[in-house]
Amino acid sequence: MKKYDAEVLARDLGFFCYDGTVKLMLQEIRDRAQGVIAWVIVVLISVPFALWGIQDYLGGGGDQVVADVDGSEITQQQLDTAVQNYRISLRRQLGANYRPDLINNEQMREDVLNRLIQQRLVNEQKQHLKLSVGDEAIKQQIRMIPAFQRNGKFDRQSFDQLLAQQGQTEATLVQSIRFELESKIVSNAVQATGFITDSAFDEQIRLRLQKRDLRYLTLPYSLFEDQQTITEEAVSDWYESHQQDYVEPEKVRLAYIELTPAAAGAAIEPFDEELRTLYEETKEQYVTKEQRRASHILLELKPDADEEQVAAVMQKAQSLLQQIKQGADFAEIAKQESADPGSAVQGGDLGFFEKGMMADEFDKVVFSLGKGQLSEPVRTSFGVHLIKLVDIRPSSGQTYEQALPKLREAYIEAESDRRFYDLAEEMANLVYEAQDNLESSARELGVEVQTSGWISRNQGEGIGEQAAVRAAAFSDDVLQQGNNSEIIELAADHLLAVRIIDHQDAQPRSLESVHDEVVEQLKQQAARKQALAAAQKLADEFAAGKSVDEYAAHDDYILKSPGYSTRTTAGIDRQILQTAFTMPKPKNDMPLFRAISLPSGDAVVVAVYGVQEGELSDLDKNSLQALREAASRTQAQDDYSDMLAQLKDQADIKISKPQP
Amino acid sequence: MEIYENEDEQLEALKRWWKENGKSIIGGLVLGLAGVLGWQAWQSYQVTRSEEGAQRFGSLVISMRQHEIDRASDQARQLMQDYENEAYGVFAAWAMARQNVTLGDLESATSSLQWAIEHSPDDSLKSISRLRLVRVLLAIGRLDEAEKIIGASRNQAFAAEFSMLSGDIQLARGKPQLARQAYQQALLEGVKDRNLLEMKLNDLGDAGLPAAVDAS
């Protein structure tokens, strides 16, 4: 609320007019009446002023105004926020195709500002027309937002969650939806009531679905290309009169510092202790532990089995052990007797395993047996095992000394990464603080200052290949002010900062250096001209009665006869179609001819033999209906944008000079 | 400034002051309060009215979409009556005109749009009504009237659209030369549907075009 509201209120309440007078009056009352009642009055009077005043102080004090639309101000901050939001939505829409370096920032700012102005205009119109929407409509709108729905129904929980995530409250959401809905009332009304009359629609159909009977003869550019001779005089004449086209663009050479993990870690010389610690910590990468291969026969015995059962199973185990010792095949017996289904079929084989992978009691026995030895029965929670140690693979790998080169490498890599992220932060500060040189930053960071070759706005080698580098080099801050650039992030682990060490203004190129270019260009022009002249001559001859069919099997020229075609028939050059539909309509079956030149340099004679107007019957009912709706919608949309233009014309809009 | 000897005297003075000014203070308070409350009531009445208008217009649009002709007509007529000289009256008249056109009753459509022009609360709404009226008049061949409206509503923002309609009128009169002029004018003024305008222009054919066009 603005200040004058307080004044209006004061007037309405029958008091005085201005802040100053009100203060005087308060003073007078205070002086004259010091009793309780007087204080009550004073307090009562102060309350509204105290409350109404607050918003003035809270409101963006001192924020710059970039535009004023009939007294409604758009501030710098509002514009910045809108531009930022626009960027975010662009990035979201374009995804990987988002190329900030291709965006003309000034143009974008202007577009966004225009949009904000339009918003204000629409808002003003809506207020003037006293248009508002009810709470019920807003609730309905909220319930229809898919993000707030679960299984197609509005879900209070999702609603609350999403709002919290976006830092919004229900009140701010309602407000923005209200604003949006109210802003659309007029536009929706114009749309919903748009119409197109039958006669206007028939006319559109007649034009849009019109067909023309055409043929075209192409005279290829290549036929004329080699016939051209260009004199030296023509070259120098052309050069003199087109000097502005032969300019070496403005160029700069850059000093730059580059920070990558490799650069950050260049000076790392690990201590022996550090590498030893790393060796111990990552030993499994260098050393393989001893592994043993065993087979077993499992006899089932529950952990809570009573003595009798234990004795029975143990006895069985002993007897199997005896059989094996007497020469029976371990694998055979395992197949028949073992209660471990996984290994039984393998003859009890468990494969190689390291210490610590099996049950404790089992492990202990396996790693105490010699190769080929049999164990006594062993009891575990699974039951009773007979174990045969089949093979031992001794521990292998590299000792600390052997692993040293690898350890160094790993250490330096990890340490480089760590230092890179530390230095990255420091780099931004250093480069910003020492605006006028890179050397001091380079020293602090322990990197070298390097120099680039010549780089123009659009081209360069080395770091100049990067559009982001070129954009930074030619930014106002770097080019004009001579400062360091901001940190340029070529990749998450590749940072640059640049400054200009050499600058070359745009300068004319000498005739010698452009000679061949000019010759080539003049040749092209002449060839085009000759081709078009040849086509023109043919067109005239055709008009005078020469038969087009003569060229049906011509060696060099190409005749195409697509017949009746629409404005958008595929396979025919756009420009040929456009020409055919721009030409007058043939009368009395007399075809018409026109010669044109295509961007490729080919010349074409376009011939129109007849015209078929579009008719409603060309389309089925559904397409007709769709087309009619589209026509009426387009018209209504155009009407509405005219209306916006009118609002703009009638408003008093002041735009301050564009802010960077 | 008076100096008071004791509390009694103070109280006496205050009472005297209250006697002199009390009535006007209370009167002022009452008046002011009434004013504020009245203003608020008026505001809230306006809001309610507008919300109701939005709802009723919404339901009119739905009736129209569902081809409930009689119901839509009733709703439109009621809105025009209740919101005479307000936005929703104009919107309803537009809706009426649309329905008239759909039913082929172009004469009635002109009346609806005429009504919309006369009851526009706003210049920008009036421009749209005029544009639509011209389109209907053109369709039923009342060309002079259409031309008169175009002449009367020379508004920069709608100029191109009106110029294109002028061209259509000239063409209906059988004057392609004048039609071309009007279309070219529309092109200069920046018509929105450039594609359509160019088709119209090109369809005029030979009048005054060069024989060959060098596209380079």
Side-chain angles (χ1 to χ4, degrees), chain B residues 70-162:
Chain B
D70 294 337
R71 191 178 143 91
S73 298
D74 282 347
Q75 287 172 319
R77 224 168 278 127
Q78 278 297 322
L79 264 174
M80 286 161 73
Q81 203 170 19
D82 295 346
Y83 290 78
E84 208 182 344
N85 301 319
E86 287 177 65
Y88 284 109
V90 173
F91 297 166
W94 287 350
M96 193 71 131
R98 181 193 150 105
Q99 181 155 296
N100 295 147
V101 169
T102 316
L103 298 174
D105 183 3
L106 298 189
E107 293 293 340
S108 299
T110 62
S111 317
S112 304
L113 291 167
Q114 195 65 51
W115 188 96
I117 294 172
E118 281 156 20
H119 294 84
S120 256
D122 182 279
D123 270 355
S124 54
L125 298 190
K126 198 178 272 182
S127 296
I128 300 249
S129 307
R130 281 184 172 142
L131 195 56
R132 290 181 170 176
L133 179 54
V134 171
R135 287 178 186 140
V136 178
L137 289 172
L138 170 66
I140 47 178
R142 284 157 67 177
L143 304 180
D144 291 344
E145 284 170 75
E147 211 159 35
K148 222 163 116 192
I149 292 170
I150 294 177
S153 50
R154 275 282 152 186
N155 177 302
Q156 202 46 46
F158 284 83
E161 203 59 42
F162 277 128

Side-chain angles (χ1 to χ4, degrees), chain A residues 133-159:
Chain A
V133 290
D135 294 339
E136 197 44 49
I138 292 168
K139 274 186 208 155
Q140 236 172 44
Q141 183 74 20
I142 291 179
R143 281 193 216 106
M144 270 159 47
I145 295 175
F148 298 148
Q149 291 179 345
R150 188 175 288 173
N151 305 326
K153 273 189 173 169
F154 176 74
D155 180 61
R156 183 81 214 182
Q157 209 181 342
S158 319
F159 174 75

Side-chain angles (χ1 to χ4, degrees), chain A residues 536-578:
Chain A
Q536 186 61 54
K537 186 159 167 281
L538 276 174
D540 292 344
E541 287 171 10
F542 292 147
K546 185 176 186 177
S547 165
V548 177
D549 290 322
E550 276 180 35
Y551 291 89
H554 193 273
D555 284 345
D556 300 316
Y557 299 171
I558 305 146
L559 180 66
K560 291 259 168 78
S561 308
Y564 276 101
S565 313
T566 67
R567 292 171 194 271
T568 53
T569 294
I572 305 176
D573 184 280
R574 282 273 130 174
Q575 207 181 325
I576 293 175
L577 278 175
Q578 214 177 351

Side-chain angles (χ1 to χ4, degrees), chain B residues 1 7 24 30 59 74 91 101 106 110 117 129 140 177 190-191 193 200 203 207 211:
Chain B
M1 210 162 59
E7 294 249 324
S24 34
V30 169
S59 112
D74 282 347
F91 297 166
V101 169
L106 298 189
T110 62
I117 294 172
S129 307
I140 47 178
Q177 199 62 32
V191 79
D193 197 344
K200 289 184 175 188
D203 200 62

